[in-house]
Amino acid sequence: MVVLTPIIAESGTLLIAGIVLYAAVKRYGRKIGLTIIICSILWTTPIETLGVSGGDYTYLSYSQVLAPNYPGYLLWLGIVPLWISLGWFIVSLSSFMIFHDIICPKRRALVSALLAGLLAVNVDLMIDPVASSNKLWTWLSPGMNLFGVPIYNFTGWFLMIFFFDLIIWHTITEIHPMKPLSFIENKLFSFKDKLMSSTGLTQRAKLLVVRMVLLEVVVIIGLKTLAAVL
Amino acid sequence: MEEIPNMTIITEEKKEVLRPRQKAGIRLCMFGLVGVLVLFMIITATGSPIRELAKFGAGNIEATLIYQILIYTPVFVIVSLVLKRLR
């Protein structure tokens, strides 16, 4: 094990996340840029926490390697290193900008989200095998795997980026109804118009929380099912 | 008969025009995405290559680099397309 590897990974990701946050502020403004990074951390950390506490993988391979009480990484969100959540932020925002702003801005949001999910899987096909070979995280029971990385991890990447992409477009950068969730949303909120164009800031924030929670549950159920099957 | 200028038709399309500042933001974000790929290439070069790739015949480091280039290609193509469209 090379001792420098976790330092390079953590400091490099923190630096790149700072650059991408600045890019988000330039593209969408301060309020939306900060909302995206906070929501991205809130979106990924619970799923990562479930993965670690469920015994699927661990981030403690480098603990006590650098110093007796040093857990391997400097900044943590509970049992998940901060740089992991920020890595998700970099990939999700980049793929969102690529497809919603440039490649297919006039297509349906669903198409852009699908393509964003596929791009994220493509990026992870490189990240995960390299990271697990270098013990940045260690898969404890890979099952059906590709280069030591469980297949369900890649489907997990797709689901997480796909749904988060839809959340960003439907609630953060713009405001649109989400048809599959409209039954629940209409019970909880009273929208003045069907297109939600006159939705206030407070109501929009509540809507964001509801959508994130509902879709997070969908992703967790999907991931747990896939992990059990594969 | 009076001709309708083309502009009238164009304005009916709902198209957001990106300002230079917003374009710079997207360019910077692409730099970030490529940065992640470069970061993991550095990790490969300074740390361990993907061990499981050795079974395909090539040495670990060569196989890892070939694998990375294959995986990088679609990302680099998409990023270069984005940068081209932003010009």
Side-chain angles (χ1 to χ4, degrees):
Chain A
M1 271 201 310
V2 179
V3 179
L4 275 179
T5 305
I7 300 170
I8 294 171
E10 187 174 27
S11 55
T13 309
L14 291 176
L15 177 73
I16 294 168
I19 293 169
V20 172
L21 175 62
Y22 179 63
V25 170
K26 278 190 112 171
R27 168 63 186 93
Y28 301 111
R30 193 178 298 169
K31 207 182 284 179
I32 291 179
L34 289 172
T35 309
I36 293 174
I37 191 171
I38 291 167
C39 288
S40 173
I41 291 170
L42 291 174
W43 175 254
T44 52
T45 308
I47 295 173
E48 288 283 346
T49 305
L50 275 177
V52 175
S53 59
D56 296 334
Y57 49 90
T58 178
Y59 290 109
L60 293 172
S61 309
Y62 282 97
S63 67
Q64 302 180 353
V65 172
L66 281 170
N69 290 321
Y70 188 67
Y73 303 112
L74 189 64
L75 303 168
W76 290 76
L77 295 164
I79 51 174
V80 178
L82 175 67
W83 73 274
I84 297 294
S85 295
L86 292 177
W88 281 102
F89 161 69
I90 297 166
V91 177
S92 59
L93 186 66
S94 312
S95 44
F96 178 83
M97 277 190 193
I98 287 172
F99 294 107
H100 285 275
D101 285 344
I102 306 294
I103 305 280
C104 42
K106 286 181 185 175
R107 295 215 179 243
R108 292 180 64 188
L110 201 66
V111 176
S112 297
L114 276 169
L115 293 170
L118 290 174
L119 180 73
V121 172
N122 183 260
V123 170
D124 187 51
L125 277 168
M126 191 274 303
I127 290 179
D128 240 298
V130 171
S132 56
S133 289
N134 285 281
K135 305 277 179 202
L136 292 172
W137 53 86
T138 307
W139 290 96
L140 299 173
S141 49
M144 194 189 286
N145 67 81
L146 180 72
F147 306 131
V149 180
I151 300 293
Y152 71 80
N153 169 69
F154 299 111
T155 47
W157 265 75
F158 176 81
L159 289 176
M160 283 180 72
I161 298 294
F162 171 76
F163 283 115
F164 189 62
D165 191 281
L166 288 176
I167 290 173
I168 299 178
W169 191 78
H170 282 86
T171 329
I172 302 175
T173 58
E174 295 179 33
I175 181 88
H176 301 281
M178 269 181 144
K179 279 181 189 165
L181 302 180
S182 59
F183 175 74
I184 301 168
E185 287 172 0
N186 288 332
K187 294 244 177 210
L188 295 170
F189 305 102
S190 54
F191 299 109
K192 286 175 188 168
D193 59 321
K194 276 187 177 176
L195 291 172
M196 297 181 172
S197 52
S198 55
T199 309
L201 198 65
T202 318
Q203 199 175 31
R204 204 165 154 173
K206 285 179 189 168
L207 189 66
L208 177 61
V209 173
V210 169
R211 284 177 174 178
M212 278 183 67
V213 171
L214 288 173
L215 292 176
E216 184 109 34
V217 171
V218 171
V219 172
I220 289 170
I221 292 170
L223 272 172
K224 289 287 168 194
T225 313
L226 283 167
V229 173
L230 298 170
Chain B
M1 204 174 94
E2 198 182 338
E3 248 183 66
I4 302 168
N6 283 340
M7 282 302 288
T8 317
I9 300 160
I10 291 166
T11 50
E12 281 173 12
E13 286 179 15
K14 193 190 169 189
K15 189 187 173 188
E16 188 193 3
V17 179
L18 292 167
R19 293 179 195 149
R21 183 184 158 82
Q22 293 174 320
K23 284 185 179 180
I26 298 173
R27 271 192 210 102
L28 206 54
C29 198
M30 295 306 104
F31 175 74
L33 181 64
V34 173
V36 172
L37 305 187
V38 172
L39 178 70
F40 275 81
M41 223 162 190
I42 293 169
I43 290 170
T44 305
T46 57
S48 316
I50 304 167
R51 288 182 303 274
E52 287 79 1
L53 280 174
K55 63 180 99 150
F56 292 99
N60 262 349
I61 190 77
E62 293 89 345
T64 303
L65 284 172
I66 292 165
Y67 175 74
Q68 281 181 321
I69 289 165
L70 284 173
I71 294 295
Y72 281 151
T73 304
V75 184
F76 283 135
V77 168
I78 290 170
V79 168
S80 57
L81 186 67
V82 168
L83 296 177
K84 198 177 164 190
R85 286 199 184 175
L86 281 173
R87 270 187 215 147

